[in-house]
Amino acid sequence: MVNDRTPLLPQVQQSGASSRISTVFNGKRILLVVCVSIGILGLWICSPRSMANTTTSSKPTIAANRENLSFLVVGDWGREGLYNQTLVAQQMGKIGGELGTQFVVSTGDNFYNSGLSNVSDPTFTYSFTDVYTASSLQTTWYAVLGNHDYKGNVLAQLSDDIVTRDWRWFCRRSFQLNFTMCNGSSAGSCNATLDMFFFDTTPFIDEYWTPEKISKFNWTGLAPREEQLQLQLDELREGLNTSSATWKIVVGHHTIRSVGNHGDYAELVEKLLPILEEFKVNAYINGHDHNLQHILRQDSTVNFFTSGGGSKSYAGLQAYTEEQGVRFARDGQGFLAVTVDSDSMSFSFYDVFGDELYSFVLGK
Ligand SMILES: *[C@@H]1O[C@H](CO)[C@@H](O)[C@H](O)[C@H]1NC(C)=O
Ligand SMILES: *[C@@H]1O[C@H](CO)[C@@H](O)[C@H](O)[C@H]1NC(C)=O
Ligand SMILES: *[C@@H]1O[C@H](CO)[C@@H](O)[C@H](O)[C@H]1NC(C)=O
Ligand SMILES: *[C@@H]1O[C@H](CO)[C@@H](O)[C@H](O)[C@H]1NC(C)=O
Ligand SMILES: *[C@@H]1O[C@H](CO)[C@@H](O)[C@H](O)[C@H]1NC(C)=O
Ligand SMILES: *[C@@H]1O[C@H](CO)[C@@H](O)[C@H](O)[C@H]1NC(C)=O
Ligand SMILES: *[C@@H]1O[C@H](CO)[C@@H](O)[C@H](O)[C@H]1NC(C)=O
Ligand SMILES: *[C@@H]1O[C@H](CO)[C@@H](O)[C@H](O)[C@H]1NC(C)=O
């Protein structure tokens, strides 16, 4: 379905055979296509049911003939406004307004301390709806899950029913968004594309499956672990292999490269990083470490951005060597803004005062 003008909650078609909820995409293929004036946004998602009735009255408009796409990225945030979550939210609202951002990405750990209990959990209102109130943030929020979300009832966050409480919310374990950017009004001018792949990293972390920790996580809905990981890797590999996009971004919760408290995750360096490199993914954006970082190493083409400063921050950057490729690292709260056009992608970090801390432009 292609609608020429103003999204935002998309028309949805569902197709393909369905199967258990245990597969990455639930075995269901749901085609979600929005044609915004900047182009086409399409998405393959998993959902236990059609999202067709999740549309609500509140549809923000997007200015016509945009040649660029821009969005904010925040992670590790849901604390009912505490620990400067509200301050960060206000600055996101301000910067989002200035940049005309079209959506928000959440890198996970959406609701502390243990995700949501059910679809009527009041935490959803106190930590999301009541906090991100600025008009520029009244757009779709594309969220992945973090380890704290897995401590609760994950299916509540993934549920279509929760969308009736706040239409902006869109959380799936893994999904893909395709964007096309236009430069000019003729159809032929819409030839710059961005594909974004949202990836569920939590099941990959070995520590969470140890006898001491496994009972803290709710793995309901996943396939047996090895099968689950393979399914996700295959799905990502296939999506990237099929993509001919100008730009490719992968979003996950856990760090691959980081000099924060958690550091690098060997599991992801081993299993996920080779795929990002093979298919020339431009950037991997994550949360989990509660700080802001940009890493670009000599031995990799992937830019690593950590945006995990949505609320409580921890001091604790590790000492690092030149080899670790740290371009920017800052303890403290904040968020990332990304702007993409046909020639470049730019990434800027902002702090709780709305000041730009760092900016990086990636050219073609
Ligand atoms: C994005 O495009 C709009 C309109 O096409 C323009 O006004 C704005 O300056 C651009 N923003 C950036 C960051 O390039
Ligand atoms: C909130 O941000 C201010 C300004 O950076 C900082 O001084 C304060 O410690 C922060 N509060 C918390 C709880 O992180
Ligand atoms: C949903 O979760 C909240 C928070 O844990 C709890 O207070 C409430 O009783 C639960 N509601 C239902 C219907 O289970
Ligand atoms: C785990 O998730 C399932 C499915 O969402 C839910 O029924 C169950 O109550 C959850 N268990 C805990 C301990 O939260
Ligand atoms: C858009 O097209 C104009 C005119 O052809 C050109 O000057 C400009 O650089 C293009 N912008 C992008 C982002 O490609
Ligand atoms: C994209 O479209 C612009 C405007 O029509 C054109 O100048 C440019 O060559 C095209 N680029 C590619 C890669 O097709
Ligand atoms: C990419 O897709 C092509 C065509 O389907 C296939 O031949 C090739 O093996 C795939 N490559 C990888 C690395 O998956
Ligand atoms: C997104 O792009 C991929 C190719 O990169 C394509 O296979 C898929 O059909 C597209 N999805 C939608 C909904 O257009």
Side-chain angles (χ1 to χ4, degrees), residues 144-159:
V144 292
L145 297 164
N147 48 307
H148 281 272
D149 300 307
Y150 266 101
K151 292 181 179 182
N153 178 349
V154 164
L155 298 192
Q157 288 195 55
L158 304 178
S159 164

Side-chain angles (χ1 to χ4, degrees), residues 65-68 339:
N65 295 326
R66 300 275 314 215
E67 61 194 43
N68 51 41
T339 299

